[in-house]
Amino acid sequence: MTNDQRGRESDRTVRTDSRPRIAVLISGRGSNLQSIIDAIAAGTLDATIAVVISNRAGAQGLTRARDAGIEALFINPKDSPDRDAYDRAIVDALNARRVTLVCLAGFMRLVGAPLLDAFPQRILNIHPSLLPSFRGLDAQRQALDHGVRVTGATVHLVTSQLDDGPIVLQATVPVLEGDTVDTLSARILVEEHRLYPEAIRLVLAGGWALDGRRFLTRGH
Ligand code: GAR
């Protein structure tokens, strides 16, 4: 390769690298991860997934990532002496890959100070309810048991509190008579898959600000 060719090659690399570098943290199935992969492939989300990280070795999402040619890491919580050390191991992996936005997609762990401090207002989460209703596990079952007529999905900025933080986008889903956890979860999931790429696009576009808990976009 001549110097000229090398120059052109590195120009191309710089251009490829100019897309925002996001990370997706998962624990299981990874269908939301897949919706982000698909949105990028379809050209409706301008970003690159620099790495997918799971706290569970067998997570199906790790396979989805590898199938899409994305680096997939299992970071074992048992290798860290405590919760903060585990968070620091994740931060190290993210920083090494120059990640600027972290997307939790079914990542079933509380995020602690080391990760929050390293990515202030740069961590998103998706939750299968209209927050602040039905935080925590089994949000769809909680909605059914409560008898609400409408539930949905929420993408929010992550804080130290479980399923809390400023709300970026929400989508509503009606609860139908005869719904089971499975049928309701499936309908919510359709909305999740539309909502998450859209919320990531909005956050990456910038021009937003927080007013207390309120996430305000340009023009509001
Ligand atoms: C999704 O329904 C997501 O909203 C939920 O876990 C599921 C993960 O599915 N997250 C939470 O409940 C967070 N509190 P996926 O692995 O197929 O994306």
Side-chain angles (χ1 to χ4, degrees):
M1 203 188 275
T2 66
N3 277 342
D4 245 22
Q5 283 167 327
R6 245 179 242 117
R8 278 200 295 278
E9 188 69 26
S10 80
D11 276 357
R12 259 200 299 282
T13 311
V14 169
R15 266 202 298 280
T16 310
D17 281 353
S18 68
R19 285 186 302 171
R21 297 173 64 78
I22 69 176
V24 184
L25 271 52
I26 59 162
S27 297
R29 181 177 56 183
S31 73
N32 278 288
L33 161 68
Q34 190 68 55
S35 76
I36 299 167
I37 293 172
D38 293 347
I40 292 172
T44 55
L45 175 60
D46 189 25
T48 186
I49 302 177
V51 65
V52 169
I53 297 174
S54 172
N55 64 322
R56 297 204 183 122
Q60 189 193 341
L62 289 172
T63 308
R64 291 182 192 265
R66 291 190 186 110
D67 286 349
I70 297 164
E71 184 185 15
L73 294 180
F74 162 52
I75 302 185
N76 191 345
K78 290 192 179 131
D79 291 342
S80 298
D82 55 36
R83 186 175 284 277
D84 275 4
Y86 185 71
D87 275 16
R88 280 196 297 274
I90 291 182
V91 169
D92 288 348
L94 298 174
N95 284 338
R97 290 158 183 83
R98 293 174 289 115
V99 166
T100 56
L101 181 69
V102 181
C103 304
L104 310 185
F107 185 64
M108 296 308 196
R109 279 180 70 94
L110 261 183
V111 169
L115 194 46
L116 288 166
D117 292 349
F119 292 89
Q121 295 177 13
R122 302 302 282 178
I123 307 178
L124 289 173
N125 181 43
I126 188 157
H127 185 75
S129 76
L130 292 177
L131 290 173
S133 290
F134 312 131
R135 294 185 168 111
L137 292 177
D138 295 326
Q140 302 93 334
R141 177 177 294 288
Q142 292 184 54
L144 275 180
D145 288 350
H146 197 90
V148 293
R149 299 290 185 166
V150 177
T151 184
T154 303
V155 177
H156 64 94
L157 293 172
V158 172
T159 64
S160 57
Q161 307 298 310
L162 177 69
D163 298 326
D164 195 47
I167 290 167
V168 179
L169 284 178
Q170 289 186 305
T172 58
V173 173
V175 180
L176 306 178
E177 289 191 18
D179 255 340
T180 62
V181 171
D182 284 349
T183 59
L184 181 58
S185 300
R187 279 206 318 289
I188 294 174
L189 208 53
V190 172
E191 290 303 312
E192 291 188 44
H193 295 166
R194 183 183 61 74
L195 203 65
Y196 213 174
E198 197 180 326
I200 295 169
R201 201 178 309 124
L202 196 61
V203 168
L204 289 177
W208 52 270
L210 293 180
D211 176 14
R213 287 192 50 92
R214 299 181 67 204
F215 180 94
L216 302 177
T217 49
R218 215 192 307 263
H220 285 75

